[in-house]
């Protein structure tokens, strides 16, 4: 049985990612340090489970950075001196660069592709060595554009521009429907209760009960395209991190039938993403 086919224990619940330039010896050292690491094609990165994974990855990256060819570091310094990135989001430090932006998923995804880039949780900045400057420069336009869009003032302007538009009306309708915490499900193929399931509409949720009330498709078909007269309403809530940790993943990705039905057993990648989201949500609550 593959390790991806069994539930991850609570101690292993967090899953962190790391990327670095491909080199046979580097990969070998990495696998020796992190024997449970797995390559993720979708993220183009390695995933490492464990509550201390982030600290261990950072230590490994720092150690590997000291092994980086001095020529590559000097080449990065020279490249920056010749064609610097001039941006309020980037600062130069002794070992390379620090990048501080408003939160943006695009920024995170782009920086994860930069070799040896790492998140400094204490300072809340990304750090990139000089040796990775070429790749950072290659991705900088996308990083800076996403950071600017994530600025509070820019978000406010977009919100103002949407006022009174059809887009705003649809967004309000979607938000109001989500707040109802209900989901149409086939009356002859009901999801299990009190167990995390993946849904087309709201990601992974826990179905708390099925009301039996028949769905009128016309008013809600905008939100649930596959809803029919044979559907009934079910109530849902967000799952806890503990529930997600102990959920058994599906061995295969959900097919077309499952997605049209509206719910399915989540696979390991869906669970990992949901665990990261739940962990962040519970951290915010604890603060």
């Amino acid at each position: 049985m593959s390790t991806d086919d069994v539930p991850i224990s609570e101690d292993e619940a967090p899953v962190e990612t790391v990327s670095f330039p491909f080199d046979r010896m580097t990969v070998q050292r990495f696998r020796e340090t992190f024997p449970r690491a797995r390559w993720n094609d979708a993220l183009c990165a390695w995933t490492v489970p464990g509550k201390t994974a982030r600290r261990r990855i950072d230590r490994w990256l720092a150690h590997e950075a000291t092994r980086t060819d001095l020529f590559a570091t000097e080449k990065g310094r020279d490249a920056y001196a010749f064609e610097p990135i001039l941006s309020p989001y980037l600062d130069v430090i002794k070992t390379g660069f620090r990048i501080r932006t408003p939160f943006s998923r695009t920024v995170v995804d782009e920086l994860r592709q930069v070799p040896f880039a790492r998140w400094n949780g204490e300072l809340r900045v990304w750090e990139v060595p000089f040796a990775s400057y070429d790749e950072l420069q290659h991705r900088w336009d996308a990083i800076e554009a996403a950071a600017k869009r994530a600025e509070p003032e820019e978000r406010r302007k977009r919100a103002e521009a949407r006022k009174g538009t059809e887009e705003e009306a649809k967004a309000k309708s979607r938000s109001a429907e989500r707040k109802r915490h209900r989901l149409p499900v086939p009356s002859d193929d009901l999801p299990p209760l009190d167990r995390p399931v993946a849904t087309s509409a709201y990601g992974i949720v826990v179905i708390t009960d099925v009301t039996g009330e028949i769905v009128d498709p016309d008013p809600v078909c905008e939100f649930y395209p596959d809803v029919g007269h044979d559907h009934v309403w079910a109530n849902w809530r967000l799952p806890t991190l503990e529930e997600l940790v102990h959920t058994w993943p599906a061995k295969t990705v959900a097919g077309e039938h499952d997605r049209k039905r509206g719910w399915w057993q989540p696979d390991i990648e869906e669970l990992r993403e949901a665990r990261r989201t739940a962990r962040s949500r519970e951290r915010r609550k604890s603060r």
Side-chain angles (χ1 to χ4, degrees):
M1 181 180 290
S2 164
T3 55
D4 281 355
D5 294 335
V6 298
I8 297 176
S9 70
E10 191 167 358
D11 289 340
E12 298 174 335
V15 177
E16 301 290 347
T17 61
V18 58
S19 61
F20 48 85
F22 176 80
D23 171 81
R24 186 174 61 83
M25 295 306 296
T26 305
V27 171
Q28 181 178 330
R29 290 192 298 271
F30 176 77
R31 295 304 301 271
E32 289 173 352
T33 306
F34 304 97
R36 290 184 295 169
R38 297 290 183 270
W39 175 256
N40 184 303
D41 286 327
L43 297 175
C44 294
W46 292 90
T47 59
V48 181
K51 288 185 176 180
T52 63
R54 187 72 264 161
R55 291 199 299 273
R56 292 186 291 121
I57 288 171
D58 288 346
R59 285 198 301 268
W60 183 83
L61 286 173
H63 182 264
E64 284 296 311
T66 65
R67 305 174 63 107
T68 304
D69 187 353
L70 291 177
F71 174 74
T73 299
E74 291 306 313
K75 181 181 176 183
R77 288 181 189 272
D78 291 344
Y80 176 75
F82 178 74
E83 190 177 355
I85 294 173
L86 303 177
S87 171
Y89 301 116
L90 182 141
D91 293 318
V92 183
I93 59 175
K94 183 178 180 181
T95 56
F97 311 95
R98 279 185 180 153
I99 300 159
R100 189 192 308 271
T101 71
F103 176 76
S104 162
R105 176 56 60 186
T106 300
V107 170
V108 173
D109 290 343
E110 290 290 334
L111 285 170
R112 278 177 172 168
Q113 308 307 314
V114 176
F116 297 112
R118 68 187 189 96
W119 173 251
N120 185 325
E122 185 177 346
L123 298 177
R124 303 192 66 76
V125 297
W126 284 87
E127 295 181 347
V128 177
F130 279 112
S132 300
Y133 182 67
D134 281 349
E135 186 65 23
L136 178 64
Q137 188 180 43
H138 173 69
R139 296 181 179 277
W140 189 256
D141 285 348
I143 291 171
E144 188 166 51
K148 287 179 178 178
R149 281 184 57 83
E151 290 286 358
E153 180 63 19
E154 289 300 314
R155 292 202 301 268
R156 187 191 66 77
K157 287 179 181 178
R158 291 197 298 274
E160 288 289 334
R162 287 195 299 267
K163 282 187 176 179
T165 65
E166 184 179 354
E167 181 185 359
E168 184 193 39
K170 287 183 177 180
K172 286 184 175 180
S173 296
R174 284 194 299 269
S175 178
E177 177 61 27
R178 182 183 176 90
K179 288 177 181 178
R180 292 174 180 264
H181 282 233
R182 64 180 186 175
L183 181 75
V185 295
S187 57
D188 60 349
D189 199 355
L190 300 176
L193 300 182
D194 301 319
R195 199 175 81 193
V197 294
T199 69
S200 304
Y202 302 116
I204 296 182
V205 301
V206 173
I207 303 298
T208 57
D209 66 281
V210 177
T211 68
E213 178 189 356
I214 297 175
V215 177
D216 180 1
D218 292 338
V220 297
C221 61
E222 175 185 354
F223 314 114
Y224 313 107
D226 296 313
V227 69
H229 291 282
D230 61 338
H231 283 66
V232 294
W233 286 114
N235 295 320
W236 61 268
R237 63 171 173 80
L238 292 174
T240 66
L241 177 58
E242 183 178 5
E243 287 173 323
L244 292 166
V245 166
H246 291 95
T247 296
W248 195 282
K251 294 183 179 181
T252 58
V253 176
E256 182 179 355
H257 168 74
D258 293 327
R259 294 183 182 277
K260 288 196 71 174
R261 180 179 61 180
W263 67 268
W264 60 90
Q265 183 183 359
D267 60 39
I268 188 64
E269 293 303 328
E270 290 171 320
L271 282 170
R272 283 172 175 164
E273 182 62 31
R275 286 166 183 159
R276 283 193 286 268
T277 302
R279 192 174 304 112
S280 298
R281 185 168 59 245
E282 293 188 6
R283 282 173 182 166
R284 289 196 299 269
K285 287 182 178 179
S286 66
R287 290 171 188 164

